[in-house]
Amino acid sequence: MVNTRHIRHKAMPLSWRGENMKKTKTNTELSRAVLRQSAWFKTLPTELQDEILTSSAQRQYSKEEIIFREDQAAIGICAVIAGEVAISRMAGAANECLLHVGGPGMWFGEVSVLIRRETAVTARTLTDTEILVLPSAEFERIVEENPHYYRSFATPALQRSQIMLRMIAGSQNLSPEQYLRLRLADLAELWISDSQRDTEVEVSLSQSQLAQMIGASRQTVNALLKKLESDGLVRTKFRKIVISDIDGLRGERRRTGL
């Protein structure tokens, strides 16, 4: 049985549809500069990058505001321009499972747009945040005019699904240390897809958030991180974890093809 490793759910603001959200004029050059940190976006054809930027709108959100909630109509394919966003899903009526935390360059919300279904996760800001949104209708227009672009849009969702499948399988019957090591390795790969780095991966994640992700106490996570740090696998900073060796974190459980 899958361990959801859930956290207590906090009451969400009623403005999840963005009533308090402010629309701003899209700064194409700023958005392009930030999104070119994204391993996915910078590999797209220049004409598709331009199409996404000119067809999108920028929106500003306050801290702890809902961008969209799970099981609601999709608003579009989103990218973080500034700030931090948490991705989660409810586990039961009163618990929230924290799945990912990302900053500038992170794309999210594409799955529900791609398959024309309601959203499967909730996206909530952790700071004052600026988001670029490609509306669902604009996505449909782009892929109708250029069907070969559909695969480009689907790539991030497929890559994340592989990581999530590995995460689910890896959560079975593991000690807190084993699960922490695998979760850190998976988070590093998610961050690499958001912002390509050739060496160390710096994940903006507090120890409390990491504890929520793996269903352990902050004290346990702190002790385990110190052990991993002594092994040369990670370094800890304020609200950040620097991952130096992804394969070392996976150890003998490393599998190719995912």
Side-chain angles (χ1 to χ4, degrees):
M1 182 176 180
V2 176
N3 186 343
T4 58
R5 315 273 179 168
H6 54 262
I7 63 175
R8 293 295 301 173
H9 172 61
K10 297 192 297 182
M12 299 297 184
L14 296 176
S15 58
W16 67 268
R17 285 190 182 275
E19 285 87 345
N20 296 336
M21 168 273 296
K22 298 178 181 178
K23 291 186 179 180
T24 61
K25 183 178 180 180
T26 301
N27 184 331
T28 302
E29 291 308 311
L30 173 62
S31 298
R32 187 188 298 276
V34 171
L35 295 179
R36 277 191 168 167
Q37 299 175 33
S38 165
W40 170 71
F41 187 81
K42 72 180 182 181
T43 62
L44 298 177
T46 302
E47 59 271 19
L48 180 54
Q49 292 184 17
D50 292 340
E51 188 73 47
I52 291 172
L53 291 172
T54 57
S55 302
S56 299
Q58 283 183 208
R59 303 178 178 182
Q60 292 181 343
Y61 293 85
S62 301
K63 180 180 178 180
E64 293 295 331
E65 189 172 356
I66 296 296
I67 301 171
F68 57 78
R69 193 187 294 277
E70 66 183 75
D71 299 327
Q72 302 292 339
I75 66 170
I77 300 176
C78 307
V80 181
I81 302 300
E84 292 184 354
V85 172
I87 305 298
S88 63
R89 180 170 175 82
M90 293 301 296
N95 296 298
E96 181 184 20
C97 180
L98 181 62
L99 301 172
H100 186 39
V101 173
M106 180 182 79
W107 289 84
F108 60 99
E110 72 278 357
V111 174
S112 57
V113 174
L114 288 167
I115 62 176
R116 300 178 182 176
R117 297 286 298 273
E118 294 179 339
T119 54
V121 296
T122 293
R124 181 180 70 253
T125 62
L126 298 177
T127 64
D128 290 346
T129 302
E130 191 161 338
I131 301 293
L132 188 78
V133 181
L134 177 68
S136 301
E138 289 299 313
F139 162 79
E140 294 289 350
R141 178 187 60 78
I142 291 172
V143 295
E144 183 175 340
E145 293 174 357
N146 300 277
H148 59 284
Y149 284 157
Y150 188 90
R151 182 170 182 174
S152 295
F153 280 108
T155 297
L158 295 173
Q159 290 174 336
R160 286 178 184 145
S161 69
Q162 289 181 322
I163 292 173
M164 290 299 175
L165 286 171
R166 186 168 58 206
M167 181 190 77
I168 293 170
S171 67
Q172 304 300 298
N173 302 315
L174 296 182
S175 68
E177 179 182 348
Q178 289 173 319
Y179 189 68
L180 175 63
R181 289 167 67 110
L182 293 180
R183 196 70 178 94
L184 284 172
D186 288 336
L187 285 169
E189 292 193 22
L190 285 169
W191 272 77
I192 287 173
S193 69
D194 294 343
S195 180
Q196 183 66 56
R197 296 171 175 83
D198 296 326
T199 53
E200 296 180 324
V201 181
E202 185 174 277
V203 178
S204 294
L205 190 72
S206 70
Q207 292 187 24
S208 295
Q209 290 170 330
L210 185 56
Q212 292 167 357
M213 284 184 173
I214 70 168
S217 69
R218 186 187 179 284
Q219 291 76 14
T220 296
V221 167
N222 180 264
L224 292 174
L225 285 173
K226 287 181 179 179
K227 182 177 185 300
L228 297 180
E229 194 163 11
S230 68
D231 292 337
L233 300 175
V234 305
R235 288 187 291 109
T236 57
K237 299 167 66 174
F238 177 68
R239 291 186 61 84
K240 295 181 186 294
I241 299 170
V242 181
I243 298 171
S244 306
D245 187 351
I246 297 176
D247 287 347
L249 286 171
R250 294 198 185 283
E252 295 180 356
R253 297 183 65 88
R254 176 66 177 170
R255 295 291 183 268
T256 59
L258 286 179

